[in-house]
């Protein structure tokens, strides 16, 4: 008979090595929708935090959405995902965000027939004000919040303004989808695998005014603009296509982006927590005056993600040329207009800050979330 030669100390060491990491509690709003559905299976399989990190899914829906949400939860259970430690289904924001480590705010009201943009913005801002308050009251104080529902940048502003006990730097709006779209177009144009396209930047708003910038981009380590060597294509085809890609997809499939949006949200959180080294990632974060932008708007900028929920602005880049500066300013102006349109949903202190003049300061040092 074989006998174990392991000492008790060795056994304790192996046991400690086998101990799993702490469970991540992930709150997802609009969880029964197309984006949420596509995202949840990937979170459950370990693609958000890595293959060894267990997750607890806290799924938030409207009262009307609870029935389809039940079916989504059934499918997650039927997937027998080894990392899933629990599933909560609720229409109560305080329950849904309870002790959350990460909150992905997907659910938003879609634009209806004859609905003006300002009306849609006000309706969604009201939703995100409620969610911001619930996150403030129920989530962990070091929670990281990713806003996906549109208008994402301004919804992030509203949510953060209504969560006074949480650092606004922990609220982000998603422009990773735009970055992924831009990288895909460059890869197609240059006949290069997308993995070899780097440092594509999305500046500003997740809207048709965004600026997909190739000024610092690389293709196989070479300047992308030199490899492409076609300014007309960049300005007249590439930029408009990325800016309006969402509408193009709706026109083709009769519905808005779902799988690609879910994939971008996974990419965003994965890089934020697992890290992506020296790679540049576009994050819409609270402006601190860097790049000459107004403070306290959520403006997409290039960041490095060392991991553990931290990001750092990329500040060691050349000043923009005249064309880029104009594009960056156009999307800045739209964000100011959006902020002004929802001022009534901002707490008094935030409204006062929102009335300040643009901050034209030198580029700040690194910031972390």
């Amino acid at each position: 008979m074989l006998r174990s030669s392991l000492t008790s100390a060795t056994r304790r060491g192996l046991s400690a090595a086998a101990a799993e990491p702490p469970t991540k509690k992930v709150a997802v709003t609009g969880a029964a929708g197309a984006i949420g559905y596509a995202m949840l299976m990937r979170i459950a399989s370990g693609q958000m935090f890595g293959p060894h990190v267990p997750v607890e899914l806290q799924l938030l829906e409207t009262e009307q959405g609870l029935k389809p949400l039940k079916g989504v939860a059934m499918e997650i259970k039927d997937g027998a995902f080894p990392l899933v430690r629990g599933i909560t289904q609720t229409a109560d924001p305080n329950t849904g965000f309870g002790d959350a480590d990460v909150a992905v705010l997907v659910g938003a009201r879609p634009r209806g027939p004859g609905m003006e943009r300002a009306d849609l913005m006000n309706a969604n801002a009201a939703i995100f004000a409620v969610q911001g308050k619930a996150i403030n009251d129920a989530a962990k104080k070091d929670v990281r919040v990713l806003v996906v529902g549109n208008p994402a940048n301004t919804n992030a502003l509203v949510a953060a303004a209504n969560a006074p006990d949480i650092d606004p730097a922990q609220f982000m709006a998603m422009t990773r989808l735009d970055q992924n779209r831009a990288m895909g177009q460059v890869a197609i144009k240059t006949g290069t695998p997308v993995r070899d396209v780097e440092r594509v930047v999305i500046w500003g708003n997740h809207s048709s005014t965004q600026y997909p910038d190739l000024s610092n981009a690389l293709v196989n380590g070479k300047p992308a603009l030199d490899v492409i060597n076609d300014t007309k294509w960049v300005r007249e085809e590439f930029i408009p296509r990325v800016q309006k890609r969402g509408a193009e997809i709706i026109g083709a499939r009769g519905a808005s982006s779902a799988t690609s949006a879910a994939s971008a949200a996974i990419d965003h959180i994965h890089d934020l927590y697992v890290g992506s080294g020296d790679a540049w990632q576009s994050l819409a974060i609270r402006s601190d005056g860097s790049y000459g932008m107004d403070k306290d708007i959520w403006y997409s900028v290039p960041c490095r993600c060392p991991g553990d929920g931290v990001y750092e602005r990329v500040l060691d880049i050349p000043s923009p040329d005249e064309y880029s500066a104009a594009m960056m300013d156009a999307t800045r102006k739209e964000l100011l207009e959006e902020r002004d349109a929802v001022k009534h949903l901002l707490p008094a202190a935030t409204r006062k800050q929102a009335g300040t003049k643009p901050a034209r300061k030198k580029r700040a040092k690194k910031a972390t979330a």
Side-chain angles (χ1 to χ4, degrees), residues 93-244:
N94 286 293
T95 301
F97 294 123
D99 289 326
D101 296 289
V102 170
V104 186
L105 309 187
V106 179
R109 181 176 176 179
R111 190 168 183 171
M115 194 175 194
E116 295 296 330
R117 177 177 171 82
D119 296 331
L120 177 66
M121 189 175 305
N122 275 291
N124 276 318
I127 293 170
F128 283 82
V130 171
Q131 292 182 352
K133 292 173 184 175
I135 290 170
N136 187 75
D137 293 341
K140 291 179 180 175
K141 295 311 177 190
D142 63 349
V143 66
R144 299 299 190 268
V145 182
L146 176 62
V147 176
V148 177
N150 289 317
N153 298 55
T154 297
N155 286 341
L157 181 155
V158 172
N162 284 278
D165 299 326
I166 296 175
D167 187 343
Q170 294 167 209
F171 286 79
M172 296 154 279
M174 189 174 80
T175 51
R176 183 62 175 268
L177 175 58
D178 307 299
Q179 176 184 315
N180 288 351
R181 288 168 170 170
M183 292 171 66
Q185 292 301 311
V186 171
I188 293 168
K189 176 67 174 177
T190 60
T192 306
V194 73
R195 68 173 181 269
D196 295 325
V197 179
E198 304 173 86
R199 299 192 173 185
V200 174
V201 176
I202 303 298
W203 297 101
N205 202 4
H206 174 62
S207 74
S208 60
T209 70
Q210 66 176 266
Y211 176 37
D213 181 18
L214 300 182
S215 301
N216 300 283
L218 301 173
V219 175
N220 282 318
K222 300 176 182 178
L225 292 177
D226 291 348
V227 176
I228 295 168
N229 194 29
D230 188 343
T231 301
K232 182 178 180 181
W233 177 84
V234 171
R235 296 187 179 184
E236 297 181 13
E237 294 186 45
F238 166 73
I239 291 175
R241 167 155 279 183
V242 176
Q243 289 175 327
K244 300 174 183 177

Side-chain angles (χ1 to χ4, degrees), residues 48-62:
M48 179 172 274
F49 300 104
H52 304 295
V53 179
V55 294
E56 186 173 326
L57 303 174
Q58 301 180 181
L59 312 182
L60 187 60
E61 262 294 351
T62 61

